[in-house]
Amino acid sequence: MERVEVEWRQSPNPIPALRDGIVIAWDFEHPEHHVVPNEGRTLRERNYLLIDVGVKIVNPCWWGESERGTWYVDLVKVEQIRSLYKVRDLYLDLIVPTDGRPYRMLDLDEFGDAIESGAIDLATAVDGLRRWHIFLDKYIHMPGKIDTQVGWSNFPPNKIVHLAGLPASAFNGAERAR
């Protein structure tokens, strides 16, 4: 396990994080005026970055009780500079319930608009779509299973289990890693 930092749109400053293999995790506490957490939850969310496919996943604190096991997935572009990981949102999103409901893809229109406007260049878009396909095949789609069967092939990914079990203090005490 190594201490790293993440630059993400949630914070103007790098966020202390931990890297365990292909997964980087960090905690982010939403400002009180930004969201209202679900009963029994705090404003603190643990985010996970799967470096191998370039996606960020989070179980949002503000989703209601019926969505407690639902995850939000962002396609991202990751740039590593020493121990700093700059994470840029590439607009494509996925909502993944873990109770048997189908996943829902979001913001394909925003992805197209970003390409059309030049906010995302063609090479980044093509790379992102290829990684998105790998993510879906590796973590979501289950060969031989039909959509009405509960469960995904590996979601939430087994690779986050260790980081998910760490206390918030493991992240809070992270000194600047650069």
Side-chain angles (χ1 to χ4, degrees), residues 74-101:
D74 290 292
L75 174 66
V76 298
K77 179 179 179 180
V78 180
E79 178 186 2
Q80 180 182 356
I81 303 170
R82 293 179 298 284
S83 61
L84 175 67
Y85 291 81
K86 293 184 175 190
V87 182
R88 177 179 168 213
D89 189 348
L90 294 182
Y91 303 95
L92 284 181
D93 302 313
L94 194 68
I95 295 175
V96 185
T98 56
D99 60 5
R101 290 176 291 157

Side-chain angles (χ1 to χ4, degrees), residues 59 67-71 95-101 150-152 155-156:
N59 177 241
E67 301 298 329
R68 188 173 282 274
T70 299
W71 293 77
I95 295 175
V96 185
T98 56
D99 60 5
R101 290 176 291 157
V150 176
W152 305 110
F155 202 89

Side-chain angles (χ1 to χ4, degrees), residues 3 6 25 44 47 51 56 58 63 83 114 147 149 155 171:
R3 293 198 182 281
V6 172
R44 183 174 296 274
N47 292 261
I51 300 169
K56 184 187 86 63
V58 64
W63 282 355
S83 61
D147 288 344
Q149 293 174 299
F155 202 89
F171 296 89

